[in-house]
Amino acid sequence: MKNNRKTAIAFLASILLLASSCQQGPKKDETDPEKPEKPREEQVSPPSGIISLVESKSLYDNYTKHRLGMIQQYEMERKPDEKFVPARFSDFDYATIKQYIAFIEQEAKEAQVDISSLRIYFASYPDKDRFPDGDKVVHPRQNSIFIVPTMRVDSMDYGFYIGADGKAKLIKNAVGETGIGYKSDQGERSQAGFVPSLSSTAFDEQSLNLNHGSSGPPPYPDDFD
């Protein structure tokens, strides 16, 4: 009888132990050599061009004091009956910037050139409804910026685009009096920046210049005002 009782107790204990192990699942072994620890991502150091908030505010205030009023006065003299508020910034959606970087890297790689820098040009929208190529002018008379990738040629950085033959070409050789241009209202030839006219043969060429961000007079929030 005693043996039967011991056997029953031992059997019951083994059943409980098995049930407990099934509920808990296999215990992770932190030192398992087959499951190495995921390496930490390498920390990115701030670039040398990062400036402090104090310096940022100083730059902002200097622009307010020495540039903003002149822009507003000039535009009000052009059209006294129209209120004009100068833009304080241009911004681009973060996803757009990521796509832009990926796109120009792709185009530069296919053209077998290296991008040396991103050049940011100050700009101003014309007081017209349309650009020379037919695109709509969303913010007439408003100041803006556009971005141009550059490549290094003879120790100098030059903005470039992709020609119809797939090769990188210098913007400076395609614009101006001997390149892309359009007729002004007075019938004189005007420099058209980096925008081909409708009569240009550059339809198969690929510009790498980025614009059409959001500009920032109110109601956009102003971080430094």
Side-chain angles (χ1 to χ4, degrees):
M1 180 71 71
K2 288 182 179 180
N3 289 337
N4 290 340
R5 186 176 180 182
K6 288 180 180 180
T7 302
I9 292 173
F11 177 75
L12 180 59
S14 64
I15 293 296
L16 292 174
L17 181 62
L18 179 62
S20 174
S21 64
C22 289
Q23 289 178 357
Q24 293 178 358
K27 189 175 181 180
K28 290 183 179 179
D29 186 1
E30 301 278 337
T31 60
D32 188 349
E34 296 182 1
K35 298 178 181 179
E37 232 180 81
K38 187 178 180 181
R40 291 184 179 182
E41 292 186 7
E42 185 177 350
Q43 292 294 305
V44 179
S45 300
S48 59
I50 291 290
I51 63 174
S52 68
L53 297 182
V54 173
E55 187 173 342
S56 302
K57 175 63 172 172
S58 175
L59 295 176
Y60 180 91
D61 289 344
N62 282 331
Y63 185 84
T64 301
K65 182 178 179 180
H66 301 295
R67 296 291 185 271
L68 199 69
M70 290 191 297
I71 295 173
Q72 188 168 27
Q73 180 181 353
Y74 171 76
E75 292 296 340
M76 291 297 294
E77 288 175 355
R78 291 177 68 191
K79 293 192 173 182
D81 297 331
E82 295 183 15
K83 182 180 179 181
F84 183 85
V85 180
R88 293 309 312 257
F89 62 83
S90 293
D91 63 12
F92 296 88
D93 181 79
Y94 181 60
T96 298
I97 291 295
K98 291 178 67 176
Q99 180 182 355
Y100 176 66
I101 296 296
F103 173 67
I104 62 175
E105 287 180 345
Q106 165 192 284
E107 297 299 299
K109 182 178 180 181
E110 291 181 0
Q112 298 182 348
V113 297
D114 294 323
I115 298 171
S116 56
S117 70
L118 293 178
R119 181 169 291 164
I120 299 177
Y121 277 94
F122 302 112
S124 182
Y125 291 116
D127 188 15
K128 296 181 179 180
D129 295 329
R130 299 282 171 180
F131 286 103
D133 65 351
D135 279 357
K136 183 179 179 180
V137 177
V138 180
H139 303 292
R141 303 162 59 203
Q142 196 57 262
N143 45 311
S144 182
I145 59 100
F146 61 95
I147 305 173
V148 176
T150 71
M151 66 180 189
R152 181 145 293 196
V153 179
D154 297 330
S155 74
M156 297 288 288
D157 291 337
Y158 293 97
F160 70 97
Y161 67 100
I162 305 301
D165 57 2
K167 296 181 179 180
K169 300 181 184 296
L170 301 186
I171 290 173
K172 74 182 188 69
N173 293 335
V175 300
E177 290 300 321
T178 58
I180 296 169
Y182 66 97
K183 294 290 185 179
S184 67
D185 295 338
Q186 291 76 28
E188 297 176 353
R189 186 177 177 84
S190 301
Q191 184 171 333
F194 301 142
V195 183
S197 67
L198 295 178
S199 61
S200 171
T201 58
F203 291 111
D204 293 330
E205 296 171 344
Q206 178 61 62
S207 169
L208 304 177
N209 305 335
L210 181 67
N211 183 239
H212 299 305
S214 300
S215 52
Y220 286 94
D222 194 327
D223 300 301
F224 293 96
D225 196 3

